[in-house]
Structure formats: structure tokens, C-alpha cells
Amino acid sequence: EAQVTQNPRYLITVTGKKLTVTCSQNMNHEYMSWYRQDPGLGLRQIYYSMNVEVTDKGDVPEGYKVSRKEKRNFPLILESPSPNQTSLYFCASSFGLAGGATGELFFGEGSRLTVL
Amino acid sequence: GENVEQHPSTLSVQEGDSAVIKCTYSDSASNYFPWYKQELGKRPQLIIDIRSNVGEKKDQRIAVTLNKTAKHFSLHITETQPEDSAVYFCAASNPGGNNRLAFGKGNQVVVIP
């Protein structure tokens, strides 16, 4: 089954304790991205990756890191989480089409993170 | 960068009536306009999209219209049903945007039985 898998789905942590949210897709997609969803603010892009070893900042990258060492995996790293990073996080992937055209984004089920 | 705005933020409709959500975008180079539906507690999923070389696209009870001159596009849902209750996100991207979709903040649609 084609899917984007995120882990953990739910996490409560404390300020400053490093954590990683994993994301894996089995559709051989070149493009992967992380979004955070907050009430009234919609979906805001954190980081994205056009392909292996190619990553770039989205609209709200502060406090986050990513890596893309393999095509299927795109982990989100919070080196020193703070309460303002409490949010619902979505990983998404798509094919990178020729000419920069955009394909359908497939989202993971989401990871709800609470930082105390 | 691209800025996408959605109106209204909340829309309540009687079951069977039509719902229309409008989005405006700022970058005239944008050429791809998808709509995502997010049911309560679920992930966003693509329901329909349109590219700038067409003005309208239909898929059963849903349709999207695009006005490039005015830089807005709209989602039309006819014969609404309770399962249409969800948050709907519009988005826009352009060829030079590295597949970056700029999302609107979402519209809550409530279908009243």
C-alpha cells in the first residue's frame, strides 16, 4: 500500500530534550516536505527536499533541522524543543515533475507534539 | 513569495445546498491550484486541482473555477452532504517555486443535516 508513515504519532516532551520525528514514504517520490498545522494558521511549511541531499527552508524553519540521506526518509529534528513548537506536524511527499510542475501531495497521518 | 487567502473562514450550509469557497493568490506566475480536504482528525487529501491553462474542472459534485485575470479560484460543492463537513485548504504554486505550495489558512465547512 502506497503511504507516508510518521512516527511517533503522539509525543509529550519537555523543553530542551532533543527529539526526532521520522517520516518514510514507499512511493519513490523525489519531493518531501514537513508542515506544521496550528489553529487559525493553516499549513505552514517548515523544510522541504527536492531529492536526496537537497534540502531547503520553508516558511517557518527556525528551531528545526532535517536531513535527506535516503530517498524514502526525511526526518524532522528538534534539537532543543520549546513550548512554541507544540503543534500538529505533517510530512508529505510527491513526485517532482518535469519543468518544475507540482504533483499531488501525499500526507502522513500527522504527529501531535506537546512541549512542556 | 506567494500569498494565498481564503474566504470565508467558516461556512455553514443546509444539506443539499451548494457551498462555494473562494481563494485569492498574489503571484501571477502561479500555475497550479489544488484543493485539499481535511476531515476531523485526519490528514489533508487532494480532492481536485486545476492548472492555469484551463478555466474550470469538474469531478462529480465538486468543481473548481479559475480566474487568472483577477487571481482567484473557487471550489464549488453541489448537493452538499454531511460527509462534506471538513476543513478545505486551497493552495497555489508556480514553476519556479520548487514544488512549494503556498496554502491558505483553511475554510471550515459545516453541512447541517
Side-chain angles (χ1 to χ4, degrees), chain A residues 4-76:
Chain A
V4 179
T5 304
Q6 297 178 226
N7 280 295
R9 295 286 315 284
Y10 303 91
L11 179 63
I12 300 174
T13 189
V14 295
T15 298
K17 186 176 182 181
K18 180 180 179 180
L19 68 92
T20 299
V21 186
T22 63
C23 175
S24 180
Q25 50 91 7
N26 62 0
M27 295 170 279
N28 203 34
H29 286 165
E30 293 85 6
Y31 179 85
M32 297 187 74
S33 182
W34 277 100
Y35 295 87
R36 60 178 289 174
Q37 184 175 17
D38 302 287
L41 297 179
L43 293 162
R44 294 183 293 168
Q45 190 177 46
I46 303 170
Y47 269 93
Y48 65 99
S49 170
M50 296 293 290
N51 215 323
V52 176
E53 301 292 0
V54 180
T55 63
D56 210 344
K57 297 178 180 178
D59 300 312
V60 288
E62 295 77 21
Y64 304 95
K65 289 175 59 177
V66 293
S67 68
R68 187 88 182 275
K69 297 177 182 175
E70 304 166 284
K71 195 172 187 179
R72 64 183 292 127
N73 296 322
F74 191 45
L76 180 69

Side-chain angles (χ1 to χ4, degrees), chain B:
Chain B
E2 177 63 271
N3 181 42
V4 177
E5 295 189 359
Q6 295 185 233
H7 303 279
S9 59
T10 303
L11 177 64
S12 295
V13 296
Q14 289 292 139
E15 182 177 356
D17 288 350
S18 295
V20 181
I21 308 168
K22 180 179 175 179
C23 276
T24 59
Y25 62 98
S26 61
D27 189 344
S28 57
S30 290
N31 67 348
Y32 175 64
F33 309 93
W35 284 91
Y36 284 79
K37 175 184 180 182
Q38 185 180 28
E39 297 176 4
L40 187 63
K42 302 275 183 75
R43 74 190 87 187
Q45 291 187 293
L46 180 72
I47 55 171
I48 195 167
D49 57 10
I50 192 169
R51 297 194 183 271
S52 58
N53 56 345
V54 297
E56 183 176 2
K57 184 177 179 180
K58 287 184 178 180
D59 184 1
Q60 299 182 343
R61 294 187 299 107
I62 60 173
V64 55
T65 58
L66 171 65
N67 184 326
K68 289 180 61 180
T69 303
K71 289 191 285 187
H72 67 72
F73 56 110
S74 299
L75 178 70
H76 305 255
I77 308 173
T78 59
E79 301 173 21
T80 53
Q81 301 170 4
E83 54 264 38
D84 295 328
S85 294
V87 175
Y88 292 83
F89 292 98
C90 63
S93 75
N94 67 63
N98 286 337
N99 269 355
R100 288 193 63 195
L101 280 174
F103 281 92
K105 294 182 178 180
N107 295 94
Q108 175 75 58
V109 173
V110 178
V111 179
I112 304 166

